[in-house]
Amino acid sequence: MTSTSRLSRWLVLGVLLVASVYFLAPVWWLLVSSTKTNADLFTGNGFWFARFALFDNVHQVFAQQGGIYWQWLANSALYAVGGAAVSTLIAALAGYTLAKYRFRGREFTFNSVLAAVLVPQPLLAVPLYLMFSGVHLVNTYWAVLLPSMVSPFGVYLARIYAGASVPDELIEAGRIDGAGEFRIFATIALRVMSPALVTVFLFQFVAIWTNYLLPVLMLANDHLQPVTVGIVGWQAQRGIGPTAVPFNIVITAAAISAIPLVVLFLSLQRFWRSGLVAGSTK
Amino acid sequence: MTTALHERAAGRTTAAGARRAGRRRRGRPVALFLAPFLVPFVALYAAPIGYTIYQSLFRMHRSGLGLTAPTQVFVGIANYATALGNADFRGSLLRVLLIGLVQVPLMLLLALGLALLLDAKSTLFKRFFRLAFFLPYALPGVVGAIMWSYLVAPGLSPITALGHQLGLHLDLTSNAMLAPTIGNMLTWGWTGYNMLIIYSALQAIPAELSEAATMDGCSAFGIAWRIKVPLVRPALVLTTVFSIIGTAQLYNEPTILHNVAPNLSSTYTPISAAYDAVNANNFNAAATESVILALLAFVLSFGFLKLVQRRGGAL
């Protein structure tokens, strides 16, 4: 190896290291800070440990406001699992139909779905709030669950995958054997499409778990809120007074709420990567 | 002759009839299969858009002392004139435009550079770096925003504390620093996501192309610039469009930053301005501001698509 190429290799490594410090240092700060007492947050080196108070902090998070943090986690799980499961099933059926049947309005339907992928979600949140308040759905579980059940991006992914992976011959064989159209979908297509459906589920789960604007608009009742809205609510109750929430509690609560997603991302890496690739070759 | 024509016509109708019957036979499952998606899709996507446009053309008229119920009056585009005449709302649009104009190119250049470095053959520890860059995306946006708000908050910030030791007195929540601070939050959160899309596209390029170029005496930088970048153009276009739309929806970061920077206005971005209008029970103004923002996002993202299409190269 020549000396210039060795030099350039070290240079590349140096640049990547600097970049990873930029991306990792804040997360490191969050982890370190969740182990500190409220007083220690304001003194000493922010990036290094002080008195170890992690277990005390976790205990305080789950005791704050009558233990509402449990409820928030459960609500987030309900919204994310329920919304993602329903939207994935619906998207699979719609994507399969758009890929495998010829009918009038097929292109128009697909183009509308594509256009909807490009609509900024928060722009829909305000009008949805207005409509839902008209039919008295505001401040109910449905206000967040219903919009979570529709995923145009899921239909897009499902259609691409069904088109590429479900062979027409398999469908014809099912028809010759006398299977109904729905049975063919449920027993043949769904099985072939399952890797793509995991991706759709994952993307929708993440989108719902991280959503903030829709639930904060729709839910004024603390007990219906997902964990994102709850934590921001605590963060806003700063300062002194009986309702003040100390910084260490907000920081530890934020760190805990990130665990489910990080675990999901790490354990299902190959699925979200395949989803990103499908998106980039559009 | 006529009989032949007649027969042919008849043949045509039976063929068409068979086709139609076929369509009818499969037409039923199509409608049934699409309904579970299309019905909520229309109700929760198309209807809100239509309803917003409708609301933006009306105004609640309250009589005199407000003792009687307000009535809805058609006002045409008057709400649009009001919204665009509102200095706060205009300011929020301009602010988001400016943040996008600076932050989006910087972020995508960083994402492209990191993706190219990760794609280079001799790079070490690829898996570690890929995960490190992507980690911010795996954190909920709200958690990232809370974290950064404390990282810049006066009194709590380890960054300003570090600056103090070096003799630098910096307030990252001062008015002048608000936009750069928010831009940094966006860059931190989304570079890894964009990098992964570009990196995936880079990996799809056949290795023979780079090998041939190396044999022709092309440097690694030359290969990246002349071969790889043009080939990942579709990924760059896609990430740009997603970033433009993302900037238009800017809401979480400023809202959360407001908790540590009370000087940050409640109408900092167009979405927060619309949300403000909802809180003031001025639904017509909220609807109008939403439509204006949607139009702006649409014009910018499709304008960008048209621009790169005209410059040649398939999307």
Side-chain angles (χ1 to χ4, degrees):
Chain A
M1 192 183 281
T2 62
S3 64
T4 46
S5 79
R6 195 172 297 153
L7 182 74
S8 73
R9 182 188 263 201
W10 282 110
L11 211 67
V12 166
L13 204 60
V15 171
L16 290 175
L17 271 176
V18 170
S20 54
V21 167
Y22 169 63
F23 289 114
L24 292 180
V27 183
W28 173 251
W29 176 88
L30 186 73
L31 289 178
V32 167
S33 296
S34 67
T35 69
K36 290 184 181 176
T37 64
N38 200 45
D40 282 341
L41 284 172
F42 294 89
T43 55
N45 186 346
F47 290 106
W48 201 246
F49 298 93
R51 264 170 302 179
F52 190 80
L54 174 66
F55 298 117
D56 192 42
N57 285 344
V58 172
H59 180 76
Q60 282 186 55
V61 165
F62 286 102
Q64 181 79 24
Q65 213 178 319
I68 200 169
Y69 195 81
W70 283 117
Q71 171 103 56
W72 288 342
L73 285 178
N75 290 343
S76 278
L78 169 75
Y79 294 135
V81 173
V86 174
S87 70
T88 303
L89 270 180
I90 293 173
L93 193 53
Y96 165 77
T97 309
L98 285 170
K100 289 297 168 189
Y101 292 89
R102 312 200 161 273
F103 54 93
R104 214 184 303 156
R106 184 170 82 146
E107 285 312 303
F108 174 77
T109 310
F110 186 60
N111 287 335
S112 310
V113 172
L114 258 188
V117 172
L118 295 179
V119 173
Q121 289 299 314
L123 287 180
L124 285 173
V126 171
L128 268 179
Y129 170 78
L130 301 180
M131 284 175 61
F132 279 11
S133 64
V135 292
H136 304 292
L137 273 176
V138 168
N139 242 337
T140 66
Y141 278 117
W142 294 110
V144 174
L145 265 177
L146 283 177
S148 306
M149 289 174 176
V150 191
S151 165
F153 185 62
V155 174
Y156 167 74
L157 279 184
R159 184 192 126 135
I160 290 186
Y161 200 79
S165 70
V166 183
D168 287 331
E169 293 79 15
L170 215 57
I171 300 174
E172 276 311 319
R175 283 190 187 127
I176 289 165
D177 285 348
E181 297 295 317
F182 185 75
R183 219 177 123 202
I184 293 173
F185 166 75
T187 56
I188 301 172
L190 260 190
R191 210 157 293 169
V192 179
M193 289 167 72
S194 56
L197 298 183
V198 176
T199 309
V200 172
F201 180 88
L202 192 62
F203 269 79
Q204 191 63 1
F205 185 96
V206 171
I208 302 168
W209 189 281
T210 56
N211 199 351
Y212 173 72
L213 182 69
L214 181 78
V216 83
L217 263 170
M218 295 291 185
L219 308 169
N221 181 346
D222 282 3
H223 291 273
L224 298 179
Q225 287 169 352
V227 70
T228 47
V229 178
I231 298 176
V232 175
W234 275 356
Q235 192 216 14
Q237 290 169 32
R238 64 201 179 287
I240 40 171
T243 58
V245 181
F247 289 99
N248 62 326
I249 290 188
V250 180
I251 288 170
T252 308
I256 295 172
S257 80
I259 294 171
L261 277 194
V262 173
V263 169
L264 205 66
F265 267 109
L266 290 181
S267 54
L268 296 173
Q269 269 192 70
R270 83 193 160 91
F271 290 106
W272 49 254
R273 269 197 78 193
S274 71
L276 288 176
V277 177
S280 67
T281 50
K282 168 148 66 176
Chain B
M1 180 76 179
T2 38
T3 43
L5 263 179
H6 195 75
E7 262 163 34
R8 221 183 296 158
R12 214 181 298 139
T13 43
T14 45
R19 251 202 318 276
R20 215 176 301 132
R23 200 184 293 142
R24 211 177 301 133
R25 205 172 54 230
R26 298 221 187 122
R28 239 183 53 183
V30 163
L32 269 177
F33 284 8
L34 282 179
F37 172 74
L38 279 187
V39 170
F41 178 70
V42 168
L44 299 164
Y45 271 84
I49 293 171
Y51 186 67
T52 316
I53 296 170
Y54 172 83
Q55 285 274 330
S56 73
L57 301 173
F58 287 83
R59 206 174 269 181
M60 297 309 279
H61 188 76
R62 288 176 179 81
S63 67
L65 298 164
L67 294 173
T68 50
T71 49
Q72 202 172 37
V73 189
F74 179 80
V75 290
I77 59 161
N79 287 332
Y80 288 86
T82 311
L84 290 172
N86 181 342
D88 278 349
F89 183 65
R90 261 201 334 258
S92 73
L93 286 176
L94 220 68
R95 210 171 282 132
V96 159
L97 262 176
L98 216 69
I99 290 177
L101 219 59
V102 176
Q103 188 266 335
V104 171
L106 274 180
M107 170 179 68
L108 293 180
L109 270 178
L110 183 61
L112 174 65
L114 293 177
L116 284 170
L117 288 183
L118 276 188
D119 187 59
K121 227 203 256 156
S122 62
T123 303
L124 300 164
F125 313 119
K126 285 184 193 192
R127 217 180 118 77
F128 164 77
F129 286 123
R130 215 177 55 209
L131 275 176
F133 302 161
F134 191 75
L135 184 65
Y137 179 70
L139 249 50
V142 164
V143 171
I146 289 178
M147 195 182 70
W148 272 105
S149 73
Y150 289 155
L151 279 168
V152 300
L156 197 62
S157 166
I159 299 169
T160 37
L162 224 72
H164 262 286
Q165 286 176 348
L166 300 170
L168 252 162
H169 298 281
L170 202 62
D171 180 4
L172 295 168
T173 58
S174 66
N175 281 331
M177 288 305 292
L178 283 178
T181 296
I182 290 171
N184 171 56
M185 287 159 95
L186 295 174
T187 307
W188 183 84
W190 291 94
T191 300
Y193 172 85
N194 291 309
M195 182 213 69
L196 211 72
I197 293 180
I198 300 169
Y199 179 71
S200 302
L202 279 171
Q203 298 232 295
I205 300 175
E208 297 88 63
L209 271 180
S210 309
E211 278 158 21
T214 316
M215 299 245 255
D216 288 346
C218 196
S219 66
F221 182 79
I223 293 171
W225 185 247
R226 295 212 188 92
I227 296 172
K228 290 181 179 174
V229 172
L231 283 175
V232 297
R233 223 176 99 108
L236 289 172
V237 170
L238 182 87
T239 47
T240 310
V241 170
F242 278 177
S243 303
I244 292 173
I245 295 165
T247 310
Q249 22 184 311
L250 195 54
Y251 175 79
N252 294 357
E253 288 81 2
T255 307
I256 288 163
L257 195 61
H258 175 77
N259 289 336
V260 301
N263 52 317
L264 196 148
S265 88
S266 64
T267 55
Y268 195 81
T269 71
I271 302 248
S272 40
Y275 187 35
D276 237 33
V278 169
N279 279 336
N281 272 328
N282 194 345
F283 297 145
N284 304 109
T288 310
E289 292 174 354
S290 299
V291 174
I292 293 174
L293 180 59
L295 281 176
L296 190 73
F298 178 82
V299 166
L300 285 178
S301 53
F302 276 78
F304 175 77
L305 279 179
K306 286 279 159 241
L307 189 79
V308 291
Q309 272 172 343
R310 201 174 324 137
R311 289 258 181 90
L315 170 64

